[in-house]
Amino acid sequence: MEHNVSLITTIAAGFGMALILGFVAERMKIPALVGYLVAGILIGPATPGFVADVQIAAQLSEIGVMLLMFGVGLHFSLNDLLSVKRIALPGAVLQMGVATALGMAMAWYMGWSLGSGLIFGLSLSCASTVVLLKALESRGVLDSMNGKIAVGWLVVEDLACVLVLVLMPPLAGVLGANAADASSSNGLWLTIGKTLLQVSAFIALMLVVGRRVLPWLLWQVARTGSRELFTLSVVATAIGVAYGASALFSVSFALGAFFAGTMMRESELSHRAAQESLPLRDAFSVLFFVSVGMLFDPAILLKQPLQVLGVVAIIMLGKALAAMGLVIALRYPLNTALTVAASLAQIGEFSFILAGLGLSLGLLPPEGVSLVLAGALISIALNSVLFAAVEPLRRWVLKHSDFARRLEQRQDPYAELPMSTERKYLQGQVVLVGYGRVGRRIAHALEARAIPYVVAEQNRELVEDLRRAGKAAVSGNAADPAVLIQAHIAHAAMLVVATHDPLNFRQMVSTARALNPGIEVVLRTHTEDETQLLRNDDIGAVFYREEELANAMTRHVLQRFAPEGVHA
């Protein structure tokens, strides 16, 4: 009996080539994502040899999009976004606007329609979540203020892209896919209104029903104790909600899966859901990148080298400079501006989704998809180099530019304590570095015991909120001596570093002890090796979170079994 094995052949070829080239990319210190895209190019119709089934690959990529967006929803934190909203929201909007305008200008130069230019520009405006998180994590700055700003910025971009994905299909005719549909302005507003009404109905259903039903369902399945059923429930929810959103509300698979993830996050089991679905999500994400690579025509590198360079310039210069300019305008330091600029100087999965949808709707020519893919491949490959250059570039600029030095030393109203600060805050106080989850708890405990403290925090928004609440706080990186001086470290009783910043621990402690030799130092760490090194250096009281948790649990257990009258 003859079997149709095109599905198996496509999956086998996609996974096999992705494994080989992803491994090669990682060994070359390039994100594996580049290897997956090249794998798609090699098994695609634009290169000689074996050609995988493009239609099957496209359907597999749809599952990859669903699971990718489900993962984004699972990790979406409104609180994290709100903590940096004053820089992330205007920053993302401005940077996307600049990149889109540059892309439209380039499309106009190439003779494309307005709609094609808009989709092309939007595809160049959104950075890759996968690449960004990997870059920040590998450098240990994901939990730093710079990392939070970059991630918050990208969350706003992702939300904007989700909105674009929602509006693209109903507006395809207006944008040029079918000129006959663009004649009536009444038809345009009717289409927009109908689409927004459908999306609003879906979101309302998810907020009213989904946020209660999905976590409840997850808990019921977890009670069975079956890991297989739990994993199945997570995947079924992601794909089922995405399909239901499309079938019932004409909402994109991407938006449906994203909201399934955000509602699942309401469950206490959300971390386990993310962990259990990760292998399948990673597998189909690989197939998504492979299928995107199959759309790429390498000949464009030879046929249109200037256009490719133009795309790369928009991604790596236009976006980066726009982001850096806004961060500096909002009085953040040069290091933050350079880190955010490097974070956004690449494009990835949302660009592929937008370009692919634009192609399927007839809004973007195949040449446009190839240019987007070329820009993605080059920008992702160079992004790690750009990140590595941030600190050397900052030092070089500060050494050779008076303007840059003035930027670093500019007068910031939140960089110094006001003259009206009560004297009790400036004598025998605790200098608390960081006001995150840990720092906030320490601050509340100090307040409960009427112990004065001064917060040193990089997030200017938090400092502004603390000042409004009548609390002493200064803005800046505590590794900078000027910040600790403004916190009056010379007269402090204790320095408490509640933020995880291993690269700057020693600088903070060195500055504090130079100005106040008798000061007591308390630090928090995240790894056992880091804890041991700091303790060996006798840098202060070092608290390692797993160790403290184990000690607390041990005390509780021993207290339960201690003889009567004896305290463990």
Side-chain angles (χ1 to χ4, degrees), residues 166-188:
V166 168
L167 293 175
M168 272 177 67
L171 296 181
V174 177
L175 293 173
N178 184 350
D181 294 338
S183 57
S184 171
S185 61
N186 291 333
L188 167 63

Side-chain angles (χ1 to χ4, degrees), residues 38 50 105 110 186 194 203-204 222 231 262 266 284 314 396 402 553 562:
V38 174
F50 171 77
M110 293 187 291
N186 291 333
K194 182 181 176 182
I203 293 174
T231 304
T262 57
E266 298 290 323
F284 275 96
I314 291 172
W396 185 87
D402 291 333
M553 293 177 71

Side-chain angles (χ1 to χ4, degrees), residues 41-57:
I41 296 171
L42 293 180
I43 64 173
T47 53
F50 171 77
V51 177
D53 191 312
V54 177
Q55 296 300 322
I56 287 177

Side-chain angles (χ1 to χ4, degrees), residues 105-332:
M106 183 174 171
W108 173 79
Y109 174 77
M110 293 187 291
W112 295 359
S113 69
L114 181 64
S116 296
L118 179 62
I119 303 305
F120 182 64
L122 286 169
S123 298
L124 301 182
S125 70
C126 41
S128 166
T129 307
V130 175
V131 174
L132 173 68
L133 293 178
K134 187 176 179 63
L136 294 175
E137 207 166 25
S138 65
R139 286 159 182 81
V141 294
L142 184 58
D143 293 325
S144 69
M145 193 60 235
N146 291 349
K148 288 178 181 177
I149 290 173
V151 172
W153 195 302
L154 204 60
V155 167
V156 177
E157 285 191 3
D158 288 351
L159 293 175
C161 288
V162 168
L163 181 62
V164 172
L165 289 173
V166 168
L167 293 175
M168 272 177 67
L171 296 181
V174 177
L175 293 173
N178 184 350
D181 294 338
S183 57
S184 171
S185 61
N186 291 333
L188 167 63
W189 290 111
L190 184 64
T191 300
I192 294 176
K194 182 181 176 182
T195 301
L196 293 179
L197 187 64
Q198 288 174 316
V199 172
S200 300
F202 169 69
I203 293 174
L205 180 66
M206 292 300 292
L207 290 175
V208 175
V209 180
R211 69 186 305 175
R212 293 176 174 82
V213 172
L214 296 185
W216 176 84
L217 177 64
L218 203 62
W219 175 249
Q220 296 303 315
V221 174
R223 289 176 62 186
T224 66
S226 171
R227 182 172 179 176
E228 293 174 11
L229 279 177
F230 186 85
T231 304
L232 180 60
S233 69
V234 173
V235 176
T237 298
I239 296 178
V241 171
Y243 178 77
S246 176
L248 300 176
F249 298 94
S250 300
V251 170
S252 68
F253 288 141
L255 182 65
F258 173 77
F259 265 93
T262 57
M263 294 305 102
M264 195 74 85
R265 185 182 169 83
E266 298 290 323
S267 169
E268 295 178 357
L269 299 169
S270 61
H271 289 292
R272 183 183 168 192
Q275 187 177 11
E276 295 290 346
S277 63
L278 186 61
L280 194 63
R281 198 164 73 237
D282 284 347
F284 275 96
S285 297
V286 168
L287 289 177
F288 165 67
F289 292 122
V290 169
S291 70
V292 169
M294 292 173 66
L295 300 174
F296 179 61
D297 182 5
I300 199 167
L301 297 173
L302 299 175
K303 292 178 181 176
Q304 297 183 320
L306 293 180
Q307 284 86 338
V308 172
L309 286 175
V311 167
V312 174
I314 291 172
I315 296 168
M316 302 196 72
L317 288 178
K319 288 174 61 180
L321 291 175
M324 188 166 66
L326 185 84
V327 173
I328 289 174
L330 292 175
R331 296 179 178 272
Y332 278 82

